[in-house]
Amino acid sequence: MQIRDLPYADPGTPDVRSGFRFLLWLGRSQIGGQLRALAWGVVHMGSVAALPVAAGIAVEAAVARSGTQLARAGLLLAVIAVTVSVGDTLLHRAAITNWITSAARTQQLLARRTAALGAALTRRVAAGEVVAVSTGDIEKIGWCVEATSRFSSALLVTLGVCGGLVLYQPQLGVLVSIGVLVLALCVLPLLPPATRRADTQRDKAGRATELAADTVAGLRVLRGIGGEELFLTRYRNASQEVRRAAVRTARMWALIAAVQVALPGLLLVGVVWRGTGLALAGEIGVGELVTVYGAVTFLLFPLRMFQEFAMAYSFSRPSAKRAARVLALRRETAGDSGTVRTPEPASPRAEEGTPAQVPESALRGDLFDPASGLLVPAGTLTAVVCGDPDTAGTLAERLGGHPPGGNDEESVRLGHVPLDAVTLDAARSAVLVQDKDPVLLSGTLGELLDVPTSGAVTRERALEAAQCDDVLQALLQGSPDAAGDPLAARITERGRSLSGGQRQRLSLARSLITDPPVLVLDEPTSAVDTHTEARIARSVERLREGRTTVVITSSPLLLARAQHVVFLPDGKATASGTHRELLESDGAYRAAVTRDATSSAPSRINGDPQQHRDGESAGAPRGAGEGEGAVST
């Protein structure tokens, strides 16, 4: 795999059972690149290790006053110089390619997981952790993958040099081999505490990042309640904890570095002392002593590779663990009680598997949710009253074709096709869900509205229907470079310069431009004043005429415009009709819409499900041929 081939057509299915298994999977996924880096690493380090041999031959030639042997030594040195340069260059190229491609693979996997989870992601993981994983963690993971090939080649060359010394000069070779083994045994006990300190530092740094991201996200609220200083103090304390943890980690790695300098130095002194004695006794030649001395000096180089790999693994392990935790997230099932499922999805539209191919023409018809009994007739504006925001959010996700809410529940069906049996792209093209808190990305207004569309709704019509006139004026005032063109006006990150109602209307315009066959709006006007809300209700009704639109709301202005209204207390459809009909016949519905507890039957106040609301028989669910418990009119 080359950098020019990025992004991957298929990044693969990662092993997310643990951070270590994720790192192993990354290494196996680019085994070709690892082998290339290993080969060039052996060439480079083997050539460096051969320099003492050439130097020893040159010394022996000088002692023997042999010009021919000296010329051979010079030729050997020239060849070694070339192989050292070529090996070092290509090793660096292969290793950095491994780093970048592994980081890109991880980034691509995270992007796909984020797209698959949607708004559910930040409900499971703090926004700061997601930022940390997609920035600093990816760099550390790539560093570990890159260091693996260097470590492997250094290990092979070290074993080769020690074995060669034993054969070349047994007395000194055995001494060197024992010394290298002692060095490894002395350093190994220091690695676990260094790793633990690195883990602690990483956790504290992640916490500080999360705190900073959450503070920035809620800055407007903090200013409103005067809490900036409190959160600033918390961040200062978190930063000091990170600093102290980093100092403790640095001290441990400094100790390891000192050991790796002091012990090899003692080994070198011992080899020189022993070798000098052998040379004076005439048991070895001067050239042999120079060769052994040079080999011991070379061994300091791979030892540094060992330290680098230990550091890379220590710092990348918590990063890989965090990345694996995010990649393992799946939508919770009913009964999970907020926990995260880690198994791969079992539906036919497995996100990493081969989805079912369904003709686009089959994704037409009524929208039916077996879990709640909600039936939305095709081509109608249907309002849904839940009464509970969490229930409404769960319903909106389910209507968007996400995995069903329980192992024994069916998926939402559009026409006769379960949405979890088609590709994710097909499901999202057929059903568009606008969350109650949609996100506005930074950029120009034109870029925000540059979304896939059928072409039936222009930007102007969508902005007009969403009543965005004052929003456009506000954007133009804040963008002097726009030259009077609203589409060139810039939107700040997450639209922070706009009010909640303005952000909501821009998001509504973006959804209307897409013009999907089915549009699901979760509380689209909760932050808008009543006059603007009334105009939006009329405009959306006209613009979406003949298209299936589901509005999850309790606003009387929107409910009055709906052709059908379905009441879902506790997540189950119990009544349907027009807004006026339900107001007259269902006390619980009247209480939910008017916020008047006295309009509810005693059962809604006392929580007794057996004493039901007024006029329940008039709103009892009726089958509509799509499944038992469906509600229609």
Side-chain angles (χ1 to χ4, degrees), residues 176-488:
V176 171
S177 300
I178 293 175
V180 171
L181 180 61
V182 171
L183 286 177
L185 293 178
C186 289
V187 172
L188 284 178
L190 299 177
L191 294 180
T195 301
R196 288 194 295 270
R197 292 190 181 190
D199 290 350
T200 301
Q201 177 190 348
R202 186 66 189 82
D203 290 340
K204 291 183 179 296
R207 172 57 185 156
T209 303
E210 293 172 16
L211 184 60
D214 293 342
T215 301
V216 172
L219 191 58
R220 291 182 60 147
V221 178
L222 290 177
R223 288 175 175 171
I225 62 176
E228 304 103 307
E229 191 61 36
L230 173 63
F231 274 79
L232 181 60
T233 301
R234 289 183 181 178
Y235 183 73
R236 283 173 179 158
N237 294 335
S239 298
Q240 290 302 312
E241 290 182 8
V242 174
R243 181 188 61 79
R244 287 190 288 268
V247 170
R248 294 184 70 247
T249 302
R251 286 173 178 169
M252 181 56 69
W253 287 111
L255 175 61
I256 293 175
V259 169
Q260 289 189 330
V261 170
L263 293 184
L266 293 176
L267 174 61
L268 189 61
V269 171
V271 169
V272 171
W273 176 78
R274 176 61 177 163
T276 302
L278 293 174
L280 292 175
E283 297 184 26
I284 64 173
V286 177
E288 291 176 308
L289 177 60
V290 171
T291 299
V292 175
Y293 173 81
V296 175
T297 305
F298 160 76
L299 288 176
L300 300 179
F301 176 53
L303 285 176
R304 287 197 296 271
M305 296 296 100
F306 298 162
Q307 179 187 3
E308 179 190 359
F309 176 73
M311 291 182 64
Y313 176 70
S314 299
F315 281 99
S316 67
R317 192 179 69 172
S319 297
K321 181 179 178 181
R322 290 161 67 97
R325 184 165 62 246
V326 173
L327 292 174
L329 292 177
R330 297 293 182 272
R331 292 189 178 276
E332 65 185 15
T333 60
D336 278 341
S337 300
T339 59
V340 176
R341 295 190 296 119
T342 57
E344 293 298 318
S347 66
R349 194 189 67 209
E351 290 158 324
E352 287 82 10
T354 302
Q357 298 296 326
V358 177
E360 184 178 350
S361 58
L363 292 173
R364 295 290 186 271
D366 298 344
L367 185 69
F368 175 63
D369 176 27
S372 63
L374 171 65
L375 176 67
V376 180
T380 63
L381 174 59
T382 301
V384 179
V385 178
C386 293
D388 177 50
D390 292 335
T391 302
T394 302
L395 175 64
E397 289 184 17
R398 202 162 55 239
L399 292 178
H402 298 142
N407 294 331
D408 56 347
E409 292 181 359
E410 300 178 53
S411 167
V412 169
R413 297 200 299 269
L414 181 56
H416 297 285
V417 179
L419 288 181
D420 68 348
V422 301
T423 64
L424 193 61
D425 289 342
R428 288 181 172 172
S429 297
V431 182
L432 174 66
V433 178
Q434 177 179 305
D435 296 328
K436 62 169 59 70
D437 186 22
V439 175
L440 299 181
L441 301 178
S442 59
T444 65
L445 178 59
E447 292 171 342
L448 176 71
L449 301 180
D450 186 16
V451 294
T453 174
S454 67
V457 179
T458 64
R459 293 176 176 179
E460 292 73 17
R461 290 182 63 198
L463 291 169
E464 182 182 357
Q467 303 298 310
C468 292
D469 290 344
D470 63 312
V471 185
L472 301 182
Q473 293 300 321
L475 290 175
L476 286 174
Q477 290 177 2
S479 302
D481 297 336
D485 182 8
L487 296 179

Side-chain angles (χ1 to χ4, degrees), residues 5 21 77 94 158 206 222 242 244 275 285 450 452 484 490 530 571 589 618:
D5 298 325
R21 290 178 183 272
L77 283 172
T158 298
L222 290 177
V242 174
R244 287 190 288 268
D450 186 16
R490 298 201 64 83
T530 55
Y589 174 84

Side-chain angles (χ1 to χ4, degrees), residues 26 75 96 129 184-185 254 258 262 275 307 373 412 499 503 536 551 559 620-621:
L26 278 177
L75 180 61
I96 296 302
E129 181 170 353
L185 293 178
Q307 179 187 3
V412 169
S499 67
R503 291 196 299 270
I536 290 175
V551 182
L559 294 171

Side-chain angles (χ1 to χ4, degrees), residues 1-22:
M1 182 67 185
Q2 300 297 321
I3 295 176
R4 63 174 175 268
D5 298 325
L6 295 175
Y8 294 96
D10 179 14
T13 303
D15 187 343
V16 294
R17 288 176 290 177
S18 67
F20 176 72
R21 290 178 183 272
F22 179 65

